[in-house]
């Protein structure tokens, strides 16, 4: 990046009387314009990006935290959070698996995570992980040949500013909501994907991504653009338990599918949920939205949510292009003191747009699980169709499940169907299975996996198996 | 194989089994009959380990072990099978999946490896055909929307796959049509062997026409009030339970 650009940033920083040293690893707590400038400078961002962040910051100042969600938590003190932390250096990391918490390794084992991936997931210093580095390099070459751009968000800002200017904030505007505005001002890093016209991405971006899963920080920003006739499948997160010192996570994910393009976005979220009393768990406030901008495009969200103390998340589709298709498949598991308020929005704008929603909520312990879904059919969406199926499964008698379906239908030719069920794992069911020789835990797992199979079958194969194992681990000790 | 001595159990405040004694040896088939509410299902569920029932007195030994010390799944793996009077529905869970999990649980317990998926399916289909079951039932939810007779046949299918040492069938014959009854009886008869015991809880002679019991017991108000050979069942059919009750209290 040009040095005068950098200089002007630094100068302006001082203009505003800001004194944070951008070389430090972690910024002191608090948020003002100076912090926003320092983040941008730290990342060597071009001017347009800084301006964009600053506008977001100013908009954020005028916004209020939303309170409509069915979740309870102590007030977040935004001025006590540090908004930038550089990734840990190799010196601070374990040198080999021998230095990693054996409990963590035990969980990897239970989840069936391949041996060569465990080291990196556990944060072992990179140069100690030979296998995956070479695998990653091979992936990188393959993607390059196909013309696919897949890089850290901050790299895209510098290397592909035209694409960023054109698409960033075009799906989730800065002022969309309180957390999206905050993210827009201070986002740390994330992923950028561009699939050129007519290209079918040669691999699941999952495999690649997982191997490279570094600390993306608490304000992640993801932008995926599938150009005309292209196709991509992306997997975010991983089944391995993720701990983080940062309690608040507010990510933004934007997907753009142009004509005839298809994006399949799968998430496995397993942030630390806190202990049985909910202490120390992550607050996960995410804005995810896909824009089916072109005709015949398709965006499909699949998520398996088992972690976090609080999850606030509604991956949505804007079905703008004629005949475009939106899908949402979700499994949300809450145990102990976890709270989840999650669901989706399907906004039908184009004619003959179709959407499918399959939501499976599982509650155990004292946890609360909320499904909140909006299906909106705009006046011009002739022939639009939606099918929603929303099932809740309760384990024990102290947990709760709540369903809030909203429907706004402004076109009489639309067809919207909603089905909802609530069931409970009964003592009789467990006894029946035990009489056939299954342990109580295996019986619960079997019933839960049966309940979720419609969603699991949407996940990439290797993750479906892990996700199933993850659910079992999450519900350990839920009965008995 | 199974020795029950002076068994007393209650559920809540109600005493249901009130000093029941019964001895079942390997190779034998026993029929237990008795009026509604006399405690037949209770006996079956206590043997299987249902924890709603509290054992207040007496002993139950199975192959020399104190059965009451074992968890329900341990009893099952040790070869105790209960065909339920009211099999529960578990929607969403593949019927074949449970069947296979059950077979494997037992195999692991016996130090054997997991069953080969192909062999398993082949065997399950054969057994289903013998029971006159629609093969599609294998891929439906466990008992989900099964007709009464289909549920009962599914219990027998599980039994024939698991090859238990002690099989207790609680009114497995109720609700079966004539052909199904014959098929189920055949399934039970193929299990008959010198190292296995079968206990049939039933209200009707017609099952016993096909599966000839070595012993017939009458359970009334929580106790076995009369035992005999297969002719007792015929006598009951003729005279009803009042006759036994009167004889017992006389
Ligand atoms: N949960 C319960 N609470 C109270 N009473 C119960 C409970 N379960 C069973 N009982 C009672 O115990 C008695 C014995 O019931 P059980 O089911 O063993 O009878 P049964 O001999 O199998 O009858 P049937 O021929 O009708 O199947 C009945 O009077 C029944 O009402
Ligand atoms: Mg009964």
């Amino acid at each position: 990046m040009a040095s005068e650009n950098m200089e002007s940033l630094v100068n302006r920083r001082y203009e505003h009387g800001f004194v944070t040293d951008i070389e430090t690893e972690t910024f002191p707590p608090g948020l003002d314009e100076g912090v926003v400038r320092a983040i941008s400078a730290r990342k060597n961002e071009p001017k347009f990006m800084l301006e964009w962040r600053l506008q977001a910051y100013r908009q954020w100042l005028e916004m209020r935290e939303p309170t409509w969600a069915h979740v309870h938590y102590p007030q977040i003190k935004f001025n006590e959070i540090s908004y930038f932390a550089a990734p840990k250096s190799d010196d601070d990391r374990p040198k080999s698996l021998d230095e990693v918490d054996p409990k963590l390794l035990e969980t990897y084992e239970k989840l069936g995570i391949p041996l060569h991936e465990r080291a990196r997931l556990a944060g072992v210093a990179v140069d100690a992980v030979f296998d995956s580095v070479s695998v990653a390099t091979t992936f990188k070459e393959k993607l390059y040949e196909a013309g696919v751009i897949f890089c850290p968000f901050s790299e895209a800002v510098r290397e592909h500013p035209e694409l960023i200017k054109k698409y960033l904030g075009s799906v989730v505007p800065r002022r969309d909501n309180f957390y999206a505005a905050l993210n827009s001002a201070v986002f740390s890093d994330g992923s950028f994907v561009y699939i050129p016209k007519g290209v079918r991405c040669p691999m699941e971006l999952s495999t690649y991504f997982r191997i490279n899963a570094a600390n993306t920080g608490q304000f992640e920003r993801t932008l995926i653009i599938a150009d005309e006739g292209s196709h991509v499948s992306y997997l975010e997160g991983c089944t391995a338990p993720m701990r983080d010192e940062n309690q608040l996570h507010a990510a933004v994910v934007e997907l753009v599918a142009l004509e005839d393009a298809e994006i399949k976005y799968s998430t496995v979220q397993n942030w630390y949920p806190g202990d049985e009393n909910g202490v120390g768990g992550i607050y996960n406030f995410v804005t995810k939205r896909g824009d089916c901008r072109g005709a015949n495009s398709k965006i499909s969200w699949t998520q398996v949510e088992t972690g976090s103390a609080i999850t606030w998340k509604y991956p949505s589709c804007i079905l703008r292009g004629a005949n475009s298709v939106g899908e949402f498949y979700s499994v949300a598991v809450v145990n102990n003191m976890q709270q989840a308020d999650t669901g989706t929005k399907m906004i039908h704008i184009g004619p003959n747009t179709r959407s499918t929603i399959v939501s499976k909520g599982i509650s155990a312990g004292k946890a609360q699980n909320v499904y909140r879904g909006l299906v909106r059919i705009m006046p011009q969406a002739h022939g639009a169709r939606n099918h929603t199926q929303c099932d809740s499964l309760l384990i024990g008698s102290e947990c709760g499940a709540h369903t809030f379906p909203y429907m706004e239908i402004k076109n009489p030719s639309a067809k919207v169907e909603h089905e909802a069920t609530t069931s409970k794992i009964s003592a009789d069911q467990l006894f029946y299975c035990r009489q056939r020789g299954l342990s109580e835990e295996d019986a619960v797992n079997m019933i839960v996996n049966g309940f979720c199979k419609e969603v699991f079958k949407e996940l990439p194969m290797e993750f479906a198996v892990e996700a199933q194992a993850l659910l079992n681990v999450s519900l350990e000790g839920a009965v008995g | 194989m199974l020795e029950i001595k002076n068994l007393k159990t209650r559920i809540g405040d109600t005493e249901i089994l009130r000093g029941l004694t019964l001895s079942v040896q390997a190779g034998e088939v026993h029929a237990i009959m008795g009026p509604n509410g006399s405690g037949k299902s209770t006996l079956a569920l206590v043997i299987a380990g249902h924890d709603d029932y509290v054992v207040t007195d007496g002993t139950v030994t199975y192959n020399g072990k104190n059965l009451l010390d074992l968890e329900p799944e341990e009893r099952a793996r040790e070869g105790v099978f209960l065909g339920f009077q009211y099999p529960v529905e578990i929607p969403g869970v593949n019927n074949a999946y449970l069947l296979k999990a059950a077979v494997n649980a037992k195999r692991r317990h016996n130090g054997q490896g997991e069953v080969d998926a192909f062999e398993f399916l082949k065997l399950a289909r054969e057994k289903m055909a013998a029971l006159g079951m629609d093969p599609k039932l294998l891929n439906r939810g466990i008992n989900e929307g099964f007709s009464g007779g289909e549920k009962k046949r599914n219990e027998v299918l599980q039994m024939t796959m698991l090859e238990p040492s002690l099989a207790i069938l609680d009114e497995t014959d109720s609700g079966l049509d004539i052909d199904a009854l014959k098929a189920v009886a055949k399934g039970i008869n193929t299990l008959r062997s010198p190292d296995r015991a079968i206990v049939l809880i039933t209200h009707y002679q017609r099952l016993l026409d096909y599966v000839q019991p070595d012993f017939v017991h009458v359970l009334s108000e929580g106790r076995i009030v009369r035992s005999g050979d297969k002719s007792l069942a015929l006598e009951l059919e003729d005279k009803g339970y009042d006759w036994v009750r009167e004889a017992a209290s006389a």
Side-chain angles (χ1 to χ4, degrees), chain A residues 25 100 295 408 410:
Chain A
E25 292 300 296
V100 173
E408 295 174 20
K410 295 177 185 145

Side-chain angles (χ1 to χ4, degrees), chain B residues 162-174:
Chain B
L162 287 167
E163 303 186 324
S165 315
L166 172 65
I168 304 162
L169 296 174
D170 191 356
E171 295 200 27
T172 303
D173 54 332
S174 315

Side-chain angles (χ1 to χ4, degrees), chain A residues 9 12-14 16-20 22 27 30-41 50 54 57:
Chain A
L9 286 180
R12 231 179 331 166
R13 180 160 67 86
Y14 281 107
H16 287 82
F18 180 66
V19 289
T20 301
I22 61 161
F27 288 6
L31 184 56
D32 58 19
E33 277 199 23
V35 171
V36 176
R37 286 170 194 281
I39 292 171
S40 186
L50 172 66
L54 286 172
Y57 173 70

Side-chain angles (χ1 to χ4, degrees), chain A residues 231-245:
Chain A
H231 178 284
V232 62
S233 167
Y234 182 94
L235 190 126
E236 171 209 11
C238 100
T239 52
M242 305 253 257
R243 275 173 187 269
D244 195 303
E245 289 93 68

Side-chain angles (χ1 to χ4, degrees), chain A residues 423 426-443 445-451 453 468, chain B residues 45 48-50 71-73 76-77 80-82 84 88-93 97-98 101-102 105 142-143 155 158:
Chain A
S423 51
S426 72
D428 284 347
Q429 289 174 332
L430 292 179
F431 182 69
Y432 187 81
C433 297
R434 292 176 79 190
Q435 209 306 300
R436 297 299 181 253
L438 278 71
S439 69
E440 191 162 67
E441 209 156 270
D442 287 346
N445 290 342
M446 182 181 77
I447 296 171
V448 165
N449 285 322
F451 178 75
K453 66 180 172 220
Q468 198 164 332
Chain B
L45 290 165
H50 200 296
E71 293 294 325
E73 59 269 34
R77 293 172 200 158
V80 177
F81 178 91
L82 169 59
F84 288 84
V88 68
E89 298 196 5
I90 310 182
V93 180
Y97 188 95
L98 173 66
I142 298 166
N143 295 320
E155 296 291 289
Q158 293 174 344

Side-chain angles (χ1 to χ4, degrees), chain B residues 35-42 44-45 85-86 170-171 201 203:
Chain B
N36 293 134
S38 57
K40 302 181 297 296
S41 295
T42 303
L45 290 165
Q85 183 175 3
Y86 304 109
D170 191 356
E171 295 200 27
I201 296 172
H203 286 295

